[in-house]
Amino acid sequence: MAWDAFIPSHTREERCLSDLKIFFASDIHGSEVCFRKFLNAAKAYQVDALIMGGDITGKMIVPIVAIDQGRYTFEWLGNPYTITADALAEHIRQIRMSGIYTYLTDPDEMIQLEENPLLVKDVFRRTMKASMVEWLELAEERLSGSGIECFITPGNDDDLALDEAFIGKNVVCNPEGKIVHIRGEIEMISTGYSNLTPWHSPRELDENALYEKILSMASGLINPRCSIFNLHCPPYDYGLDIAARLDKSLKPIAGIGGVEMGPVGSQAVLKSIQVYQPMLGLHGHVHESRGAVKVGRTLCVNPGSEYTEGILRGCLVLINKKGVRDYLLTSG
Amino acid sequence: MDNIQQAKVSRPFFVREATGLVRELSWFDTFLCGFGILNVALGLVQAFAYAPFVFPGSNMAIAFLIALPGAFFIGLLNALFTAAMPRSGGDYVWVSRSLSPVVGFAVNFFATFGVIAAAAVNIWYMASNFLAPALYVMGFQGAASWVASGPAAIIMAIPAIAILVLIFSLGLNVVRRVMLVLFIITGIGTIVWLLIMLLGSNTSFIAGFNNVLGANAYENMIQTAATAGRTVDPTQTGRNSFYAMIYAFQMYGGFQMIGYFAGEIKRVHKSAMQAIMTALGVGALFFILSSLIVVRYFGAEFLGAVAFLANAAPDQLGLPLGAYISNMVIYMTQSRFLQIIVSLGFLATITWILLPQMLIITRNMFAWSFDRLIPSWVAKVNERTHSPVNATIIAGILIYIMLLVTLLTQFWAYLINLAGVGALVGMLVAISAIIFPFRRKDIFEKAPAIVKGKFLGLPWLTWAGILTLITQGLLTFIAFTTPAIGGAVNMVSLLSSLAVFIIAFPLYLIPYYVNKNRGLDTSLVYKELPPE
């Protein structure tokens, strides 16, 4: 007979199994420096598991145009540059650090890119995937043998093709749409899909479909109250989802005394948390709405994002037998 | 070659459709944001209540003008810091990242204490100097004289704070709507008030004043003040106008905070600078022109006499309502309708200012809670209203406690030089700006060009810090060398004032060690992660 057979069943159900320290970050949007900080957080914060909540890829590409043999030109932060091949690597490194991709091209292709948005889309897709492959290789190299688990979920802004980059990885896991077990014990469900946004990003669902997607995972949990809901979009109107209100042209609505702000989170995420009451909700998506709140018994966190400044915002969560023992929002 | 040039100039980058890519605010949008922060009527009321007494013969229009460069430096510092760290949340994080987290908390704690104290004083004055005239002109003279009394302020504050808490409990959208309504009432009242003064003259005010209070009442007021000891040294008026800039700074204060919202919009380096400088520019213009109008209408000697008697010999004032110029509406026009419009405008303006003050207090509590310096239940969001009810109620209680302390104790006598200590604390923010480019190269190097730009080899942010340091140093000097502002400076008074700042250190360190014992190392909040 197992020792916990003496514990009343309702208590046993709510007892979480292990002392665990996890580090959660989200929305680094292609920032090389933030990704490297994320990997280094494992050692710096001495955690058992790293979780990245989505929106990993960048939003912008700076084309670097080869103008003649050994010379390149580009514009960066409003300044035009013409450089030699020797300086190319360093300039690419600097641009990549801030979350912006570079693309080596020539004048002819540049004209085609300007005229054909589909070509630009393809360049983005290839560049993002290549960057993701590099990052995952780096993560495997850094974390292999460390015993630290690493979960990276693509978010609503990440192209669907990105999922292929995770195939065959041993250390890094893409937990999208699945139940995974952290250290073999704590159940976690994840999705990077968000509710509908005005930007029509690659991974969006209406609230009903999003709820169904979360439900399909949550219904398979053995112990939902001791589980983690790693859902990119924050719950609706609990203070983790406050963003600038936009008009139809996607311009912030400004009035007397400032920009109008309002909730943009997901009703589906809120409902699923209210129904299942997991011990922890990990969210991102709304960069400016950093915080931690309780939805019923569930601690929900959104560490926010300052990726453009190379600052990795995150959240350390301490879990013990009783559930979430404590948390700390970090700014590394 | 032509193609290359065209490509380089026309498309320096490609952007894909992704969340958060919003359009820029127009200049007019930014102007509206900045304009909404101004509170010209309240600023003038407070400036003319004290400056003519503390600095006899001072010219407030000149004081506002002299204060402008210093306010510009402070605004520049805020705009550049906001551009460098757009989502960081103000001086708490700026100082924490540049100097140390404990100093950042101390600066923020002092600022929050100042806002709580200011809100308490505003609640007090709301009854005595703004509700009283509104009731008076509406025909409730008895009620007006009752609310103008000290005990009434203690009682009236309870429903006032309760309404404030209720508004915040209903959510930010309700707060915004209330602010908009109050802004409209304030705007109409202020415009009517200024028009009455602009279309009238000192002669018409004297006639109105004497009409209500008796023949020669205007001259008698000036004479009574002179008899009570008011003098103006003509050789010191220039110096006094210079020193009066400390009040101008208080009126300008707050304009730089609008940079915070700029973090939510595109091209923050541009929008923050636009918003801050627009607010300062428009504000300065309004304050300077309005000061000229006020002095022309009421008369400098009269304003000086009223301020002197109100502060030095209140029993000789002899006015049915208080000494604030907001109370003078009953002498400015005989039209009951216009009197009501103006007095309601003033009532709205003092109420309006309480809302952002409440917002600052609760937001800071949230930041402390997230940093585990205060219990997490403080930042709990109410399940039903989705608003931070606990933080709002605590803020309301703190404001009320501060009001009781203000009215029932000699508290302010101990905090004699809060303005001076405030400037000292401002110097810490300036120092953090000076050293930021050198201590936090990692963040600084990624900042927009406007932050990294250099002049004589030093970054603009460092220059803004140096100039702000000089400005705050000057304000500290004025505050500590003007007894009428802060009383005599001695070790006891200085320590009492500094105590508010110093107490923040144990308030930070005690939870730090308690958390550490529990296994939560809060020093990790700002721990730098290696980027290699």
Side-chain angles (χ1 to χ4, degrees), chain B residues 46-341:
Chain B
Q46 291 179 339
F48 281 102
Y50 300 104
F53 164 66
V54 179
F55 304 110
S58 59
N59 183 321
M60 272 317 294
I62 292 174
F64 277 118
L65 198 61
I66 293 171
L68 196 54
F72 172 80
F73 301 144
I74 295 170
L76 187 67
L77 182 149
N78 277 268
L80 293 176
F81 253 146
T82 303
M85 293 178 278
R87 297 195 195 281
S88 63
D91 48 18
Y92 181 20
V93 178
W94 301 339
V95 178
S96 293
R97 283 183 180 158
S98 187
L99 291 174
S100 107
V102 66
V103 179
F105 173 73
V107 167
N108 191 250
F109 179 80
F110 185 88
T112 310
F113 178 86
V115 175
I116 292 170
V121 171
N122 283 338
I123 290 264
W124 171 24
Y125 287 174
M126 184 166 72
S128 58
N129 286 296
F130 296 89
L131 180 60
L135 289 171
Y136 190 94
V137 298
M138 286 190 273
F140 305 106
Q141 276 86 354
S145 59
W146 180 74
V147 297
S149 65
I154 293 173
I155 297 164
M156 294 297 293
I158 296 172
I161 291 173
I163 291 168
L164 203 60
V165 169
L166 179 70
I167 291 168
F168 272 81
S169 301
L170 294 173
L172 275 181
N173 280 338
V174 176
V175 174
R176 279 193 62 82
R177 281 187 210 120
V178 172
M179 279 183 82
L180 184 63
V181 170
L182 289 172
F183 181 82
I184 292 167
I185 299 171
T186 297
I188 294 169
T190 305
I191 290 167
V192 171
W193 182 61
L194 289 170
L195 278 176
I196 292 171
M197 289 191 287
L198 207 56
L199 299 175
S201 64
N202 183 233
T203 312
S204 64
F205 175 72
I206 293 170
F209 191 77
N210 291 345
N211 185 42
V212 176
L213 296 174
N216 296 324
Y218 183 89
E219 286 303 323
N220 289 343
M221 180 69 76
I222 295 168
Q223 192 54 50
T224 305
T227 309
R230 176 178 182 265
T231 54
V232 177
D233 183 351
T235 64
Q236 294 295 308
T237 53
R239 170 201 172 273
N240 283 352
S241 295
F242 180 79
Y243 273 44
M245 76 170 166
I246 196 165
Y247 289 107
F249 266 104
Q250 286 176 15
M251 302 312 120
Y252 284 143
F255 75 95
Q256 72 276 20
M257 291 174 132
I258 63 171
Y260 293 176
F261 81 74
E264 319 304 342
I265 56 182
K266 197 180 170 188
R267 294 186 67 176
V268 62
H269 57 281
K270 189 178 163 193
S271 52
M273 192 66 79
Q274 263 185 356
I276 288 172
M277 293 311 164
T278 306
L280 178 61
V282 176
L285 195 66
F286 264 78
F287 278 123
I288 291 166
L289 292 177
S290 306
S291 296
L292 292 170
I293 293 169
V294 165
V295 172
R296 170 188 162 273
Y297 183 75
F298 291 106
E301 279 299 292
F302 174 80
L303 289 168
V306 170
F308 178 86
L309 289 173
N311 288 286
D315 53 321
Q316 296 181 49
L317 191 62
L319 294 174
L321 292 168
Y324 273 25
I325 53 175
S326 54
N327 292 314
M328 302 292 171
V329 65
I330 57 174
Y331 320 116
M332 292 170 68
T333 172
Q334 289 185 346
S335 161
R336 180 62 60 91
F337 176 71
L338 292 181
Q339 286 179 348
I340 290 171
I341 294 282

Side-chain angles (χ1 to χ4, degrees), chain A residues 157 249 296 325-326 331, chain B residues 16 23 97 372 383 518:
Chain A
D157 273 335
S249 69
R325 185 164 69 81
D326 225 324
S331 186
Chain B
R16 70 186 174 103
R23 284 182 55 216
R97 283 183 180 158
R372 315 319 307 272
E383 297 275 340
R518 292 170 54 239

